[in-house]
Amino acid sequence: MRKQIEKIIATAFIIVLTITAFNFKSFAYSEIPDYFDFEQCCVSMDAGSTRVLWITANYNYDAYVGEHTSNKTYIECSEKSGTQQVVLHIGPDEQTKNVMFYFYVDDDKVSDKGLFDGIEVYVQNIDTSYAQKADMAAPLKWYANNNSEFNAYDYYMNYPDLQNAFGTNGDALFTHFYQTGKAEHRVANKLL
């Protein structure tokens, strides 16, 4: 009888342990676990990509992007306490190999405002030609016929086939967009 009770208790314990193990989200690491916990603290991302990660912040915080070269490298987050998703963006023209996303505690309940932790991104597949093309096409930002629907710089940077066909000739890009590009649903008023 005693052995049967021990078996029942052991089986119940294993079932409870198994159920609880699958119901908790496990986070990776934090230097200051009383303040932050991250799903991952080191990730690899391609230039021009986006990544969604879970974090737990026990206090309100400020988020900053460390050294980077692209204005399209940024973070989307609530900066409020709680378990939440953050979205990391690495710009297509990013040239920095390691980009840090910093999370600083910014809550009236915590006196030490110097507490921070971070997520390090290893940027892969950096396209060095993108920065060269962007520099070469910079004058298209001020093309005389730019309007709310058409921006010569954006149109040029979005489509390698147009770069090869027309180069940085703003008039040719403008004509192409209104003659065929618009009908092809090409985007000419923002960078893709």
Side-chain angles (χ1 to χ4, degrees):
M1 174 85 162
R2 180 181 162 126
K3 288 195 178 215
Q4 288 178 333
I5 293 174
E6 287 175 354
K7 283 183 182 179
I8 292 171
I9 291 173
T11 304
F13 177 74
I14 290 171
I15 290 170
V16 169
L17 183 62
T18 304
I19 290 171
T20 21
F22 288 110
N23 284 332
F24 288 107
K25 188 163 189 73
S26 175
F27 289 95
Y29 180 76
S30 176
E31 289 287 330
I32 50 175
D34 291 338
Y35 300 91
F36 297 106
D37 202 1
F38 302 112
E39 176 182 1
Q40 292 179 294
C41 59
C42 297
V43 296
S44 291
M45 293 175 61
D46 287 337
S49 67
T50 299
R51 182 80 166 263
V52 177
L53 296 175
W54 284 94
I55 71 164
T56 297
N58 294 325
Y59 298 94
N60 294 336
Y61 61 93
D62 285 329
Y64 299 98
V65 181
E67 183 180 331
H68 62 287
T69 59
S70 173
N71 62 0
K72 299 217 177 306
T73 295
Y74 63 98
I75 184 171
E76 292 178 64
C77 58
S78 71
E79 297 189 343
K80 303 284 184 205
S81 63
T83 299
Q84 59 204 261
Q85 289 182 328
V86 297
V87 183
L88 309 178
H89 298 269
I90 300 295
D93 56 337
E94 185 60 64
Q95 300 298 302
T96 304
K97 291 182 180 180
N98 292 1
V99 176
M100 287 293 298
F101 291 87
Y102 294 102
F103 299 82
Y104 280 85
V105 175
D106 185 20
D107 198 304
D108 293 338
K109 299 174 198 161
V110 179
S111 59
D112 185 353
K113 302 298 184 202
L115 294 169
F116 73 93
D117 207 343
I119 298 172
E120 185 172 9
V121 174
Y122 302 112
V123 181
Q124 307 292 312
N125 298 316
I126 293 174
D127 181 3
T128 55
S129 68
Y130 190 94
Q132 294 166 343
K133 288 177 190 172
D135 288 344
M136 187 174 65
L140 292 174
K141 293 177 181 179
W142 301 280
Y143 175 64
N145 290 327
N146 283 348
N147 56 54
S148 63
E149 187 176 49
F150 174 82
N151 180 290
Y153 177 82
D154 294 346
Y155 199 47
Y156 173 85
M157 292 303 291
N158 287 343
Y159 300 103
D161 63 324
L162 300 180
Q163 295 167 12
N164 294 333
F166 305 116
T168 57
N169 181 333
D171 291 333
L173 292 166
F174 181 82
T175 301
H176 181 272
F177 176 71
Y178 283 104
Q179 286 182 350
T180 58
K182 194 172 176 182
E184 294 171 346
H185 303 289
R186 292 194 187 223
V187 176
N189 62 351
K190 65 181 177 183
L191 290 173
L192 296 176

